[in-house]
Amino acid sequence: MLEVALDVRSSEDVDEVVRAVEREVGPIDVLVNNAGVIDVEALLEATDESFERVFSVNCFGTFRCSRAVGRRMAERRRGRIINVASIAGKEGRPLFAAYAASKAAVINLTQSFALALAPYNVTVNAVCPGIVTTAMWETLDERLSELEGIEPGKPLERRLRSIPLGREETPEDVASLVSFLASADSSYMTGQSINVDGGLMFH
């Protein structure tokens, strides 16, 4: 397995890593854009720096990687691009507005890249997870507890209770959908942003 560090905020870094992967491994048939950051802050207190940082990673990072790899996929007339968005990209989030807005942009980018690459037999779709219990949610819980004035653990616990399927979401739940979108079984799907959230959102 080839492991390479990548700063998705740099087009030069992205291009260099794509070339290195192709040189060491071969053509990239599947790209999963999964780099993401989040800042939790009241919207009226949000800073320019926070919005710029979140968008640079979540939105522009997805754009840079999709552009670099998409060009090569178009030349070979095959490929799958899968973007990790979020159900937060489908409705406002006043305590992490930059994140929600950046994921809404990822959903829109998914549609744009899907249309641009469809003539080349390259599909582009997005997955929209809900509340996945990862290190990111541990950070979210800590910050939300401060902003909401409740003890740590309660913000996550309250949100988990709202999941219709009655259990927390795991990374494996998301990976299963990513695996499907990377497979031949999804060959007639493109431009879709699919919720995998236990029933939290129906659009």
Side-chain angles (χ1 to χ4, degrees):
M1 183 192 309
L2 177 67
E3 294 184 6
V4 184
L6 169 61
D7 184 353
V8 298
R9 296 171 298 177
S10 164
S11 292
E12 293 77 13
D13 210 20
V14 168
D15 290 338
E16 181 179 335
V17 167
V18 170
R19 286 192 296 269
V21 170
E22 290 189 332
R23 185 169 57 249
E24 298 294 327
V25 180
I28 299 171
D29 291 321
V30 178
L31 168 67
V32 180
N33 286 305
N34 191 38
V37 295
I38 188 169
D39 282 340
V40 182
E41 55 191 350
L43 182 54
L44 297 182
E45 306 301 323
T47 64
D48 291 356
E49 292 76 18
S50 171
F51 260 73
E52 288 169 1
R53 184 180 82 93
V54 171
F55 264 81
S56 184
V57 174
N58 298 359
C59 175
F60 284 98
T62 296
F63 163 70
R64 293 180 186 107
C65 293
S66 297
R67 177 182 61 184
V69 176
R71 286 169 174 167
R72 290 160 169 81
M73 289 179 170
E75 290 175 359
R76 298 191 305 276
R77 303 189 72 84
R78 71 175 189 274
R80 301 275 191 273
I81 296 176
I82 303 158
N83 299 323
V84 178
S86 170
I87 61 170
K90 297 188 175 185
E91 63 182 25
R93 294 287 196 276
L95 293 181
F96 39 100
Y99 179 81
S102 71
K103 293 301 186 177
V106 168
I107 290 170
N108 194 280
L109 267 180
T110 298
Q111 297 168 356
S112 296
F113 270 108
L115 290 171
L117 292 172
Y120 305 100
N121 194 39
V122 176
T123 65
V124 186
N125 292 288
V127 301
C128 297
I131 303 169
V132 187
T133 50
T134 62
M136 179 180 281
W137 249 103
E138 292 177 9
T139 302
L140 265 175
D141 181 86
E142 181 179 335
R143 183 72 178 112
L144 286 170
S145 69
E146 296 175 10
L147 292 171
E148 296 175 354
I150 56 180
E151 63 183 270
K154 292 298 183 182
L156 177 57
E157 179 184 315
R158 187 173 64 194
R159 286 162 174 83
L160 289 176
R161 285 200 304 268
S162 69
I163 299 173
L165 283 182
R167 68 168 177 85
E168 64 186 39
E169 183 171 359
T170 68
E172 288 74 20
D173 292 320
V174 183
S176 294
L177 178 55
V178 171
S179 179
F180 166 72
L181 292 173
S183 74
D185 291 337
S186 67
S187 62
Y188 202 59
M189 294 176 60
T190 196
Q192 305 305 305
S193 296
I194 307 164
N195 299 344
V196 51
D197 63 357
L200 278 171
M201 186 173 289
F202 290 166
H203 66 85

